Amino acid sequence: ERLDAQHTYAQAYRNGEGDWTVEYRAGGSDSHFEATASDPHAVVRFLTDWSYDRPAWRDAFAWAPMVF
């Protein structure tokens, strides 16, 4: 979670025995995106890059809007 902005965070969770779901939110619900990853190292790179606000995190995955 970013301390300098509301509703701004990144997270990842493992889907059972396989893939990971990664997501980030950058404001309101219309700025909430997700992707699926199979490589746990890519997940760690994403979270690290996001945490340090390195631009590479934006291109880490094929992001799709979250559907609620």
Side-chain angles (χ1 to χ4, degrees):
E1 185 171 6
R2 295 216 191 279
L3 299 177
D4 61 344
Q6 277 189 313
H7 306 291
T8 303
Y9 61 87
Q11 63 185 6
Y13 52 93
R14 191 169 183 200
N15 301 315
E17 295 292 321
D19 293 337
W20 292 77
T21 296
V22 291
E23 60 182 82
Y24 76 91
R25 183 169 172 159
S29 60
D30 61 334
S31 298
H32 198 168
F33 298 90
E34 68 179 340
T36 301
S38 57
D39 179 4
H41 294 68
V43 174
V44 171
R45 275 191 307 274
F46 158 69
L47 291 170
T48 302
D49 287 343
W50 185 91
S51 296
Y52 286 97
D53 203 16
R54 296 176 186 147
W57 72 264
R58 294 186 184 279
D59 298 324
F61 303 107
W63 299 104
M66 289 280 291
V67 178
F68 297 97

